[in-house]
Amino acid sequence: MPLLQNNSGIVYLVGAGPGDPSLITLRGVECLQKAEVVVYDYLANEQLLSYAPEGAEHIYAGKIGGRHNQGQDEINSLLVAKAREGKVVVRLKGGDPFVFGRGGEECEALRDAGLSFEVVPGVTAAVGASAYAGIPLTHRDITASVAFVTGQEGKDKYESNIDWDRLSLGGGTVVFYMGVTTLRRNMKRMVEHGRPSDTPVALVRWATTACQQVLVGTLADIADRADECGFKPPAITIVGEVVALREKLQWFDTRTLCGKKVIVTRAAEQAGQLAGKLTARGATVLECPTIRLVEPESWQLLDLAIRDLRSYDWVVLTSANAVRYFFQRIDTLGLDARALAGCKVCAVGPKTADEIRAFGIKPDLVPADYKAEGVVEEFSRLDMHESRVLFPRADKARDVVPRELKRMGAHVDSPVAYRNIFPDRLPPEALFALEKRSVDCITFTSSSTVQNLAAMMGEELMLDMLKGVAVASIGPITSKSCRDLGLKVDIEPESYTIDALVEALEVHFR
Ligand code: SAH
């Protein structure tokens, strides 16, 4: 069937997946990227909105509890109206649009109005919960069928379709959606209709997210257990022998930083690596860049040095950023790595060394200790007298290395290769989480990250907001900057690398 006639509007019903924002489909992302209007649900992860172009209209169509029926007509009319205006509309729905998502009704309304639509499937909650709770819904040795059932009764039409006898006696896995408030009644029904009362049951709440909670029991006692711990929606209920497999297959909620909320303060362009490693260990990461890297005010000194590279004996690069800006400038001047042919290259830190190798240069010296003092010590073993050293640096860098090299008799030029400035503002999500006191840890990976945060927030407010938040610093210099501002450092790795920092967090929260 041809869709998207002329330039007219279209509605993409997109399954957002169960919670983890990376579980959306590529097609879903493509649709969001061209959306002019996004109408999203309570269960759709809000982070997905960031795929929509800037300026796209975001409309929250939260349907929480009881408002279902009344709200649905309004949503249908809204979708029709926006599509009629000729807009590209994404209707972003939690899980899959056609599994208890009322996507069918929305499509009917659009069809009745003669409007185009497309449906993009999503990972439905049952499937997401199954994977992330370690409970396969089917298993060759246990069961060959699975049913998705609404836990709501009376309120909607699904109820009349439920054949409790077959559901209970069929022996297949049964997954209830929307079944927390009706849990006791539904579990009782399963037993009354013949399912053994010791059949295992799992409740999975906020499946696939860092807040995932799993409660395991049996048909006989799960309702009591849920009451005892005040278990709340949204959750799905998995009934069947397969639930027992969780004991062996649990993987998601056993990760070392599971459930921890961590603020990462690195520059936006650097945060990804640390954030990725923390996320992989189960943490929820809020990126809060306190640094923005920009070009120097003038390239003059660096350009002079680059044009005269052959006259230097050493080039010392102390960060991956320094490497990037330095080589970018070499490129801009129409040169390439061969400009360094006559110089020895010192890379401080393994990441810096990797970055240099990416430009085709093997560093001659990679000091084992990445602190400035360690670098100085390495050089003190060489004869630096009368040698010429180029030290492209950040504007706010410490001057230990150039100073000490000069003391050894070297001629040192240290032109600014990049500046680090404050971003315009701190991201509201991070501030909100701090205000709610829901943050477990904040990471500082250089002195500027903490100094800039203090400058942007105000010292007093920063100290107050970070009460009860574990402070993780990458090394002694950064820790000193933290302490100078009145912060107690709780986590500091022995070596000053991102990997070591992540490991130190794992140890702290073990
Ligand atoms: N279309 C959605 C279902 C919407 S009905 C889908 O395909 O998943 C709403 C119900 O879905 C909730 O009451 C709950 O039972 C379930 N649900 C949705 N997201 C969930 C999640 N992350 N964890 C557990 N249950 C979830």
Side-chain angles (χ1 to χ4, degrees):
M1 184 189 58
L3 293 172
L4 198 67
Q5 307 118 359
N6 318 321
N7 270 344
S8 61
I10 181 165
V11 178
Y12 295 98
L13 269 87
V14 175
D20 177 342
S22 63
L23 291 178
I24 191 171
T25 60
L26 288 176
R27 179 71 186 137
V29 171
E30 273 170 20
C31 293
L32 277 168
Q33 282 168 340
K34 58 187 173 189
E36 292 169 284
V37 182
V38 185
V39 182
Y40 65 102
D41 254 3
Y42 163 60
L43 289 168
N45 192 319
E46 283 193 37
Q47 282 181 46
L48 296 174
L49 295 176
S50 62
Y51 286 117
E54 245 176 66
E57 189 182 358
H58 297 173
I59 302 174
Y60 176 64
K63 299 194 297 175
I64 305 172
R67 282 197 68 246
H68 276 222
N69 290 320
Q70 172 202 355
Q72 191 58 51
D73 292 341
E74 286 165 30
I75 293 170
N76 294 352
S77 314
L78 176 71
L79 296 178
V80 167
K82 290 289 176 188
R84 276 213 178 111
E85 283 172 31
K87 295 272 168 63
V88 174
V89 183
V90 166
R91 170 70 175 117
L92 188 64
K93 300 171 79 71
D96 180 87
F98 279 1
V99 179
F100 303 123
R102 307 192 70 167
E105 291 160 61
E106 292 173 9
C107 289
E108 281 179 281
L110 291 162
R111 177 59 28 100
D112 291 344
L115 293 159
S116 303
F117 63 83
E118 230 180 79
V119 185
V120 181
V123 175
T124 189
V127 170
S130 151
Y132 281 55
I135 302 175
L137 294 180
T138 66
H139 189 286
R140 271 168 65 102
D141 301 332
I142 302 171
T143 182
S145 68
V146 54
F148 294 172
V149 183
T150 172
Q152 296 289 310
E153 39 193 320
K155 287 183 205 150
D156 60 62
K157 287 185 256 161
Y158 295 121
E159 161 67 355
S160 56
N161 294 333
I162 300 178
D163 181 336
W164 285 95
D165 274 342
R166 292 207 178 163
L167 204 59
S168 306
L169 291 169
T173 305
V174 180
V175 184
F176 289 97
Y177 284 67
M178 302 170 282
V180 176
T181 51
T182 50
L183 182 66
R184 188 173 297 277
R185 197 152 43 148
N186 290 335
M187 299 299 101
K188 200 163 148 244
R189 269 192 173 149
M190 295 282 292
V191 176
E192 281 168 3
H193 288 262
R195 197 71 172 246
S197 62
D198 61 356
T199 306
V201 179
L203 290 179
V204 187
R205 176 169 193 257
W206 283 125
T208 76
T209 72
C211 327
Q212 172 171 304
Q213 257 178 296
V214 182
L215 186 67
V216 177
T218 62
L219 279 177
D221 68 11
I222 191 74
D224 287 340
R225 284 175 187 238
D227 282 349
E228 266 163 40
C229 65
F231 201 92
K232 294 208 166 48
I236 58 146
T237 313
I238 307 177
V239 179
E241 299 301 332
V242 286
V243 168
L245 288 167
R246 172 171 160 82
E247 216 169 293
K248 188 168 168 197
L249 303 185
Q250 183 179 1
W251 62 273
F252 175 71
D253 25 23
T254 54
R255 293 174 308 162
T256 46
L257 296 176
C258 195
K260 300 291 171 227
K261 198 173 266 183
V262 182
I263 291 187
V264 168
T265 59
R266 300 194 97 184
E269 44 280 78
Q270 296 177 306
Q273 192 206 3
L274 174 56
K277 289 180 194 253
L278 294 172
T279 309
R281 285 159 180 80
T284 304
V285 173
L286 294 170
E287 286 185 22
C288 180
T290 53
I291 292 183
R292 219 175 71 167
L293 301 181
V294 293
E295 297 182 349
E297 269 160 11
S298 154
W299 289 111
Q300 201 186 358
L301 292 178
L302 186 65
D303 285 358
L304 267 177
I306 289 176
R307 291 214 167 87
D308 194 24
L309 264 176
R310 279 174 195 281
S311 74
Y312 289 96
D313 301 295
W314 280 96
V315 176
V316 181
L317 293 155
T318 53
S319 73
N321 291 320
V323 175
R324 276 193 291 269
Y325 276 90
F326 181 58
F327 278 91
Q328 226 169 52
R329 199 59 197 166
I330 290 179
D331 181 64
T332 307
L333 296 182
L335 302 167
D336 59 28
R338 286 171 295 179
L340 282 157
C343 320
K344 289 206 165 92
V345 175
C346 167
V348 179
K351 283 282 169 299
T352 312
D354 286 345
E355 195 74 33
I356 291 178
R357 285 189 201 102
F359 288 97
I361 304 247
K362 290 184 185 155
D364 301 274
L365 178 65
V366 184
D369 178 356
Y370 331 136
K371 274 200 316 290
E373 290 70 9
V375 179
V376 168
E377 203 188 310
E378 291 274 350
F379 276 109
S380 70
R381 295 199 197 112
L382 307 172
D383 179 15
M384 296 304 288
H385 191 69
E386 288 300 325
S387 60
R388 294 199 63 208
V389 180
L390 178 61
F391 184 75
R393 62 180 178 94
D395 58 335
K396 288 177 194 149
R398 298 170 71 216
D399 64 352
V400 178
V401 175
R403 199 183 57 218
E404 292 303 314
L405 286 173
K406 277 179 199 158
R407 196 170 291 171
M408 293 172 205
H411 303 282
V412 184
D413 292 324
S414 45
V416 173
Y418 63 99
R419 284 180 300 143
N420 101 44
I421 64 172
F422 301 161
D424 302 332
R425 60 181 191 128
L426 295 168
E429 303 83 43
L431 290 175
F432 185 59
L434 283 170
E435 255 165 45
K436 275 202 325 196
R437 306 268 167 210
S438 67
V439 177
D440 297 288
C441 180
I442 187 163
T443 65
F444 295 114
T445 43
S446 68
S447 289
S448 342
T449 56
V450 59
Q451 285 158 351
N452 289 10
L453 184 69
M456 291 177 77
M457 261 190 165
E459 269 180 49
E460 214 169 294
L461 182 64
M462 178 182 83
L463 290 180
D464 178 53
M465 291 275 222
L466 293 184
K467 263 186 205 143
V469 177
V471 171
S473 144
I474 195 153
I477 306 294
T478 306
S479 296
K480 180 172 180 306
S481 302
C482 289
R483 279 184 219 108
D484 288 347
L485 288 160
L487 282 174
K488 184 176 154 283
V489 175
D490 305 282
I491 301 165
E492 187 195 294
E494 276 176 24
S495 66
Y496 328 127
T497 62
I498 294 299
D499 285 334
L501 180 66
V502 171
E503 228 170 83
L505 252 77
E506 290 182 291
V507 171
H508 179 86
F509 288 110
R510 192 173 285 160

